[in-house]
Amino acid sequence: MEIILYLSVALIAIAFLVLVIYLAKTLKSLQETLSSVSKTLTGLEKQLDGVTQETTVLLQKTNALADDIQEKSQSLNSVVSVVKDVGTTVNKFNGTLKTLTESFDIQVEENKEKISQIVQWSNVFLELKDKWNAKKQVKKESNDVEIKRVRSR
């Protein structure tokens, strides 16, 4: 029975040795896998640093662009305000012109008769002036003829 006991211990030792060999292989494989994961994570860390830096630069540019847009928006608001004021001024000017035109039309309508009389009197005055000038011309011509006759004698 002692032999069975020695055989059992030997079998347990062989089984333990096989277990240790497989466990060593598994741990070695696990070590290689973890090493590969570590290298991958290192590469990812470097890439993540690059992305972080680019993101920071992009964020700074975005903030600068937002500030520029804000400034231009404020400038545009002042331009729109000025244009609005110009529009208001033009509307007031148009209203004033309309009022003046309506007032002028009303005055012309009210004074139509007087204007007609003024035109008639102007025509009469012009005719009298033309007749007066014609008489002067005839008188001058007759005087010139008389002077020539007197000189020719």
Side-chain angles (χ1 to χ4, degrees), residues 3 6 8 25 28 35 38 52 60 64 88 92 94 103 109 113 120 135 138 141 144:
I3 201 149
Y6 287 125
S8 296
K25 283 184 179 182
K28 177 104 171 140
S35 175
S38 174
T52 302
Q60 290 171 350
T88 303
K92 287 180 181 178
N94 285 342
S103 173
E109 193 63 38
E113 189 69 32
Q120 287 175 353
K135 280 184 178 182
V138 168
E141 288 175 3
D144 286 345

Side-chain angles (χ1 to χ4, degrees), residues 94-124:
N94 285 342
T96 303
L97 283 179
K98 183 178 179 183
T99 304
L100 286 173
T101 303
E102 289 172 355
S103 173
F104 181 73
D105 288 343
I106 290 170
Q107 287 180 358
V108 166
E109 193 63 38
E110 289 175 353
N111 296 323
K112 196 184 250 184
E113 189 69 32
K114 290 179 183 177
I115 292 171
S116 175
Q117 288 176 357
I118 289 172
V119 169
Q120 287 175 353
W121 281 108
S122 298
N123 288 337
V124 168

Side-chain angles (χ1 to χ4, degrees), residues 7 10 17 30 38 42 45-46 49 53 55-56 81 91 93 98-99 103 107 112-113 116 120 124-125 131 144 147 149:
L7 282 177
L17 180 66
L30 182 62
S38 174
T42 302
E45 186 178 332
K46 289 178 183 176
D49 286 342
Q53 290 173 357
T55 303
T56 302
S81 176
N91 282 338
F93 182 69
K98 183 178 179 183
T99 304
S103 173
Q107 287 180 358
K112 196 184 250 184
E113 189 69 32
S116 175
Q120 287 175 353
V124 168
F125 177 73
K131 285 181 182 180
D144 286 345
I147 291 174
R149 241 188 332 169

Side-chain angles (χ1 to χ4, degrees), residues 43-113:
L44 285 175
E45 186 178 332
K46 289 178 183 176
Q47 289 179 355
L48 188 59
D49 286 342
V51 169
T52 302
Q53 290 173 357
E54 289 179 16
T55 303
T56 302
V57 170
L58 182 62
L59 185 60
Q60 290 171 350
K61 288 181 180 179
T62 303
N63 287 339
L65 182 61
D67 291 341
D68 186 43
I69 288 172
Q70 181 68 26
E71 289 173 16
K72 289 180 179 175
S73 175
Q74 290 173 351
S75 297
L76 185 61
N77 285 343
S78 64
V79 169
V80 167
S81 176
V82 168
V83 169
K84 183 179 176 184
D85 291 344
V86 168
T88 303
T89 303
V90 168
N91 282 338
K92 287 180 181 178
F93 182 69
N94 285 342
T96 303
L97 283 179
K98 183 178 179 183
T99 304
L100 286 173
T101 303
E102 289 172 355
S103 173
F104 181 73
D105 288 343
I106 290 170
Q107 287 180 358
V108 166
E109 193 63 38
E110 289 175 353
N111 296 323
K112 196 184 250 184
E113 189 69 32

Side-chain angles (χ1 to χ4, degrees), residues 28-46:
K28 177 104 171 140
S29 175
L30 182 62
Q31 182 182 5
E32 290 174 3
T33 302
L34 288 176
S35 175
S36 175
V37 168
S38 174
K39 289 178 185 177
T40 303
L41 287 176
T42 302
L44 285 175
E45 186 178 332
K46 289 178 183 176

